[in-house]
Amino acid sequence: MSTDRRTLLADTAITVLADTGIRGLTHRAVDRAAELPAGTTSAYYRTRQALLTALVRRLVALDQAELERLGDLLPAPRSAAELAAGIGELIQARLTGEGRRRTLARYACAVESVHVPELREILVPRENRARRSVCDFLAAQGVADAEERTVWLLLCVDGLVFDRLVNGGGVREAEIAGLVAAALR
């Protein structure tokens, strides 16, 4: 079985999920979206659960690669304003283009993981350069519980992204700056 075909199917499943919601994610829908013969997806992923698990694994891999890339591209923040700007870039990436699709799919999978513990385990946040950069900055500013504050800050950012996906609009710089300031207190 081709790894490239599996990746294509998982990537296509992410798109189908983002565009149609959890109920729209079927083997046939993935076959159609990937422009493959009927039955192709089920040949690689026999059950819906197998397809969903592959989708979540691919989603996490893509997100981790994006966060590593952001960690490499953005200089280590030297001020709260620089940290807020970096977080702003992450938010923008999550609200537009392919990042938006992945974010929509991630939230749908997070809700599904309430009923499927295996998905929850895959979706657990992982260490990456961007996350480490936030934690290092907070620690350098004298925040005693930098690890805990990093988790809190990133959960708040995730909440802003979720709100804007559901309710529309963008995230204002002042909102991000307020979260960074709260993390530093």
Side-chain angles (χ1 to χ4, degrees):
M1 292 186 198
S2 166
T3 300
D4 291 336
R5 178 64 56 93
R6 287 184 175 279
T7 301
L8 169 67
L9 292 171
D11 286 345
T12 303
I14 291 169
T15 299
V16 169
L17 178 58
D19 291 349
T20 66
I22 197 75
R23 289 183 183 202
L25 179 65
T26 65
H27 288 84
R28 287 183 186 171
V30 174
D31 288 341
R32 278 192 304 273
E35 299 180 352
L36 294 170
T40 301
T41 302
S42 63
Y44 285 88
Y45 302 109
R46 298 291 303 154
T47 65
R48 186 168 191 281
Q49 183 59 44
L51 177 60
L52 195 55
T53 300
L55 176 160
V56 171
R57 288 187 192 287
R58 179 66 176 153
L59 191 58
V60 168
L62 290 169
D63 284 348
Q64 282 296 106
E66 176 186 59
L67 292 168
E68 289 291 335
R69 194 170 42 256
L70 273 174
D72 287 343
L73 289 175
L74 298 174
R78 296 173 304 215
S79 68
E82 286 182 9
L83 177 58
I87 290 172
E89 287 189 38
L90 170 65
I91 290 172
Q92 187 63 22
R94 295 284 164 98
L95 290 175
T96 59
E98 281 305 307
R100 178 181 175 79
R101 274 201 167 116
R102 284 198 326 269
T103 302
L104 286 167
R106 183 181 326 98
Y107 290 138
C109 291
V111 170
E112 189 70 12
S113 77
V114 169
H115 306 289
V116 185
E118 178 186 358
L119 298 181
R120 194 170 344 148
E121 291 171 20
I122 300 167
L123 287 166
V124 168
R126 288 167 173 62
E127 189 62 34
N128 55 64
R129 285 190 184 105
R131 184 184 186 107
R132 177 60 31 213
S133 180
V134 171
C135 188
D136 290 348
F137 173 77
L138 294 177
Q141 301 305 306
V143 173
D145 56 346
E147 289 282 342
E148 189 175 311
R149 295 278 181 105
T150 297
V151 170
W152 173 85
L153 175 59
L154 296 178
L155 285 171
C156 289
V157 167
D158 201 37
L160 280 174
V161 170
F162 180 83
D163 179 74
R164 289 342 185 280
L165 281 174
V166 171
N167 297 311
V171 176
R172 296 184 328 271
E173 288 179 27
E175 291 174 298
I176 301 167
L179 291 176
V180 170
L184 288 168
R185 282 196 287 272

